[in-house]
Amino acid sequence: MAYVLGIDLGTSSLKGILINKQGEVVGESSYDYPIETPKIGYSEQNPELWMGAVKNVIIDLIGLHPDMKTDLEGISFSGQMHSLVILDEQKQVIRPAILWNDVRTSKQCQTITEKAGDLLLEVSKNRALEGFTLPKIVWIQENEPQNWDRVQYMMLPKDYLSFCLTGNYVTDFSDAAGTLLLDVAKKEWATPILDLFDIPIERLPKLLSSQDKVGDLTDEMKTFFGFKVDVPVFAGGADNACAALGAGIIKDGAGMCSIGTSGVFLSFEKDASADYQGKLHLFNHAAKNDYYAMGVTLAAGNSLEWFKRTFAQEQTFSELLAGISEVKPGSDGLLFSPYIVGERTPHVDSQIRGSFIGIDTHHRLPHFSRAVLEGITFSLKDSQLLMEEMAGRKFDRIVSVGGGAKNADWLQMQADIFNATILNLTVEQGPGLGAAMLAAIGAGWFDTAADAAEVFVHYKAAVKPIAENVVAYDAIYQIYRQVYQATQSLSHALLALK
């Protein structure tokens, strides 16, 4: 039996899935770790926790399948994007990693925008936002110069794992695209940006495609795990790129709606020519030589989790959503905007806040529950429309993954609001599946991502839009689009009073 191992390094946990050549998941393991919040707006993590989780996951899987010691043919990764890891000359971690959801860098984003001007958008295809890596680097330069002077290696989370496992210092294009330091079209470090911010290129890792080999496990690691053969490690990709790969988003016309804590609407892009003017992110795909665009809703599943925690703490999510099928589209005149932690697409506004509009005495918990789901989906439709209007595309299918794929009523809601056929996966393993596919391609099991998808990616029956619901939702969505402007100044004023 031959295996590949996909490792998904998330924000709160690390998961590993073991897959055979038939595309079957034969083993899983995961370990949680904490996020440190030393100050308001800060989000940090000790990278050594990730490596400890990797060791535990591999040990668990070897316990399930001892033949891994001779039959594991590749390891690859999916990793949380943007988070910054810095090491010194002795290859020791200098400080905790600054994570993607850390928002301390608003001042640095403004500095970068003023200093780089149009160059940043022209080269990196993205604007300076708190989540990206470059603002974190500038923050360290300005606030921890003693640490900046010690930096010899700057890397992203998954690349720290491959560095520890192989001793080789690399990243892949899909993860590098989220740093603001990559020339996305040319697929090389953007020296004009590096020069502007005094970042020596020799401190940055070598660039590879996601399926390229980083190296073999070191002798020390082989001995630690008890492997009897060399185990190749492949570069892997950014979590959204791997999720798209694992959902089969590898050709024109394909889109993905991913609902986790945040929400993503993502589209396949054949090249870097689409000009979204910074209104959407454009990144290199984990599928070789391809790209993807995406918009982000900051509080997607987070909105539903907040609502449940606040108003239905004793109920399960299934119980909370049990009655929404009895409520007609539009929640009987109740509308929710999911801006509870600010918003990213299409409104780059950290100060906007959410709202319920149209509350009536006849509204009950199922109305509010349905309104929350509709508001989240409307927010993701904002990104869908930007892609359709700015790139002239029409989605023939949208794959729903994450929390939004776990409820039949919500799947129908997506079909009706997006006015598109919705697919969901028979076995959803998220970004870890994409990582395993990259290992399988790198190991020579398949020639292309399309070949791997034929074996690894399968869908349930399609959910089609209902014509009368499409009409109803289109009218409601036009009202939803007015909510941001109508509440922006009030949100900002109220937040200033806190």
Side-chain angles (χ1 to χ4, degrees), residues 227-246:
F227 287 114
K228 308 301 183 185
V229 294
D230 288 335
V231 179
V233 175
F234 303 95
D239 53 4
N240 284 308
C242 286
L245 182 60

Side-chain angles (χ1 to χ4, degrees), residues 100-218:
W100 64 273
N101 56 355
D102 186 292
V103 293
R104 76 183 74 176
T105 57
S106 296
K107 173 179 173 288
Q108 286 70 35
C109 289
Q110 183 177 351
T111 298
I112 291 166
T113 300
E114 292 171 353
K115 198 168 182 178
D118 295 336
L119 176 67
L120 189 69
L121 186 55
E122 177 186 337
V123 173
S124 77
K125 305 296 182 183
N126 293 283
R127 299 186 184 278
L129 299 173
E130 287 85 352
F132 287 103
T133 315
L134 176 57
K136 306 178 198 310
I137 293 172
V138 176
W139 186 91
I140 289 175
Q141 289 174 332
E142 294 177 352
N143 293 275
E144 297 179 354
Q146 72 284 2
N147 283 336
W148 177 248
D149 289 343
R150 295 172 57 200
V151 172
Q152 291 298 317
Y153 304 90
M154 289 182 287
M155 60 187 71
L156 297 154
K158 74 172 190 352
D159 306 320
Y160 175 76
L161 298 183
S162 68
F163 187 63
C164 292
L165 291 172
T166 70
N168 294 328
Y169 183 39
V170 307
T171 192
D172 82 296
F173 297 118
S174 72
D175 226 359
T179 64
L180 298 181
L181 300 175
L182 184 75
D183 187 317
V184 167
K186 293 181 179 178
K187 297 201 294 187
E188 60 187 34
W189 292 120
T191 51
I193 295 175
L194 300 181
D195 291 344
L196 272 178
F197 297 99
D198 298 318
I199 300 171
I201 194 169
E202 60 269 16
R203 296 187 186 178
L204 296 175
K206 179 182 177 182
L207 290 162
L208 299 176
S209 293
S210 299
Q211 65 196 43
D212 287 349
K213 183 177 176 179
V214 176
D216 293 322
L217 289 183
T218 64

